[in-house]
Amino acid sequence: MSKLFIPEGYRMKLTNNELQRAIELIHEEFQHNLTVRLNLHRVSAPLFVDGKTGLNDDLNGVERPVSFDIPDVGTDGQVVHSLAKWKRLALKRYEFKEGTGLYTDMNAIRRDEEVDNLHSIYVDQWDWEKHIRPEERKMQYLKDTVREIVGCICDTATVLRNAYPVLTFRPDRDVYFITTQELEDRFPNLTPNEREMEICRLHRTVFLMQIGKTLHSGQRHDGRAPDYDDWELNGDILMWNPVLQRSFELSSMGIRVDAAALDRQLTAASCDHRRALPFHQMLLNNELPQSIGGGIGQSRLCMLLLSTCHIGEVQASLWDRDTVEGCEKAGITLL
């Protein structure tokens, strides 16, 4: 069933050819800004991992990875959901020093995604990870990093507007920080999605912190796997999308678990069976670097900066018949 939403009077501001060149410009400019501001270097990354290693991102814990047998290797491969855990292992293997980090182009398939204007079964993002000192595992370091990423977005938007004056979107550099508990206290009668909508309507650029932990209501704002982000030191970068008139998530990120946080969160999430997996054993034995990292949606960023109403305008994926026919009727080109 289609969840397509087309704003009244919507028209893409660029031709299809201009759109492709604008997407290229966004990628080039944002990647450059990100590497300079966070001191990152590009690395090659896997499209799939061994399902037995525990390296795949479990997202909310219920999504099924795309799996396939590899007879000549003798194991099953899993197409990645993201590289949240693989990146931390890569920091160690590639010998990144404190204060430096990596980024990569991550391509994933999320077969159980409910597709709509913002969601596709194909996911493309800049996955990044940075080696930090143990004493930097604090809220202030997280906030400073968020401000740098938002600065990358705003600088990219400026370059894009200069190249294509018809594009007028200006993201707000001033980040409003709020925890999920503070948000629940402020809007106790709203759903989590409605709370995000209201806080972004008021503050435009928001970093919503501490996602995954149980709130005073007994509920969680949203699910978050227990074995990469520290639920006390993570969050989502949200911006107000004027085309869709809603909150718009661009990045999920956080300071990663240390041994104590992993131990606590595995128990809280009833995932103690993961303790025996190779990756988790390395974490519990303090064999991996302390780090901060996240994913920044490539198509999401292009959607926002190019003022498109559907993610299929900036990436090639598969859609249900109603969505395809609805977009054709409205003159919207799905790649």
Side-chain angles (χ1 to χ4, degrees):
M1 180 178 178
S2 175
K3 301 178 180 67
L4 177 65
F5 168 70
I6 301 175
E8 185 176 354
Y10 171 76
R11 288 291 182 273
M12 177 60 213
K13 296 180 179 182
L14 302 178
T15 68
N16 287 337
N17 186 267
E18 288 174 331
L19 180 68
Q20 293 304 311
R21 289 187 281 125
I23 291 172
E24 181 182 12
L25 177 60
I26 291 171
H27 279 241
E28 290 177 351
E29 191 66 26
F30 183 79
Q31 286 177 183
H32 173 73
N33 292 335
L34 190 68
T35 57
V36 171
R37 283 179 176 263
L38 298 188
N39 196 19
L40 307 178
H41 305 280
R42 190 186 186 282
V43 300
S44 298
L47 174 61
F48 45 85
V49 294
D50 188 337
K52 300 185 183 70
T53 62
L55 277 178
N56 205 354
D57 180 356
D58 296 296
L59 301 176
N60 291 323
V62 296
E63 293 87 351
R64 301 170 299 159
V66 175
S67 302
F68 56 97
D69 67 297
I70 313 174
D72 203 39
V73 179
T75 191
D76 289 337
Q78 287 185 358
V79 177
V80 296
H81 279 145
S82 84
L83 297 170
K85 289 179 276 189
W86 177 89
K87 293 176 297 181
R88 192 167 179 183
L89 183 60
L91 284 181
K92 176 182 176 68
R93 292 182 61 198
Y94 299 165
E95 300 177 341
F96 279 88
K97 297 179 180 179
E98 289 179 346
T100 68
L102 60 87
Y103 85 93
T104 190
D105 292 293
M106 191 284 300
N107 298 288
I109 300 174
R110 296 182 182 175
R111 62 192 292 184
D112 291 322
E113 195 74 75
E114 293 186 6
V115 299
D116 56 22
N117 287 59
L118 307 185
H119 298 89
S120 168
I121 63 167
Y122 169 64
V123 179
D124 55 345
Q125 63 187 33
W126 291 284
D127 254 327
W128 64 276
E129 198 82 9
K130 185 175 181 180
H131 187 175
I132 63 174
R133 301 189 302 272
E135 58 267 27
E136 291 173 324
R137 296 190 75 259
K138 59 181 65 173
M139 186 66 73
Q140 189 57 54
Y141 189 88
L142 175 64
K143 290 181 176 181
D144 290 343
T145 304
V146 169
R147 291 189 181 98
E148 293 289 358
I149 294 173
V150 170
C152 293
I153 294 170
C154 294
D155 290 347
T156 301
T158 298
V159 171
L160 187 66
R161 288 195 307 272
N162 290 337
Y164 300 94
V166 70
L167 300 174
T168 58
F169 176 71
R170 294 175 180 268
D172 194 336
R173 290 180 184 267
D174 186 19
V175 185
Y176 184 78
F177 294 91
I178 188 170
T179 68
T180 52
Q181 186 58 64
E182 290 169 339
L183 192 62
E184 181 184 68
D185 293 342
R186 190 163 175 177
F187 304 110
N189 297 321
L190 299 183
T191 67
N193 284 338
E194 290 169 343
R195 292 172 197 153
E196 291 185 9
M197 194 86 73
E198 288 305 310
I199 203 66
C200 279
R201 194 192 313 276
L202 292 170
H203 295 285
R204 301 297 169 175
T205 299
V206 175
F207 187 63
L208 181 58
M209 301 178 290
Q210 298 182 346
I211 298 174
K213 60 188 296 187
T214 301
L215 304 176
H216 294 163
S217 63
Q219 304 298 315
R220 294 183 179 183
H221 180 86
D222 197 3
R224 194 58 51 93
D227 42 14
Y228 52 97
D229 286 349
D230 187 325
W231 294 342
E232 298 291 337
L233 295 168
N234 71 352
D236 290 345
I237 297 176
L238 311 172
M239 286 189 175
W240 181 254
N241 186 315
V243 173
L244 298 175
Q245 289 290 296
R246 57 159 295 158
S247 59
F248 193 80
E249 180 186 330
L250 286 170
S251 176
S252 173
M253 59 175 288
I255 291 175
R256 306 311 197 186
V257 292
D258 58 10
L262 177 64
D263 178 68
R264 181 175 63 251
Q265 291 179 185
L266 286 177
T267 298
S270 300
C271 292
D272 285 319
H273 60 281
R274 297 187 191 178
R275 296 175 186 273
L277 295 171
F279 174 81
H280 299 70
Q281 281 286 300
M282 295 181 75
L283 272 177
L284 291 169
N285 293 329
N286 295 306
E287 296 172 4
L288 294 178
Q290 299 300 316
S291 67
I292 183 173
I296 303 163
Q298 295 180 359
S299 293
R300 284 285 183 94
L301 182 61
C302 290
M303 269 192 78
L304 188 65
L305 299 189
L306 295 169
S307 297
T308 67
C309 80
H310 197 282
I311 196 168
E313 294 177 88
V314 297
Q315 64 153 245
S317 185
L318 294 177
W319 309 99
D320 59 276
R321 179 182 297 178
D322 288 344
T323 294
V324 173
E325 292 178 351
C327 285
E328 287 179 352
K329 184 178 180 179
I332 295 173
T333 300
L334 297 178
L335 302 184

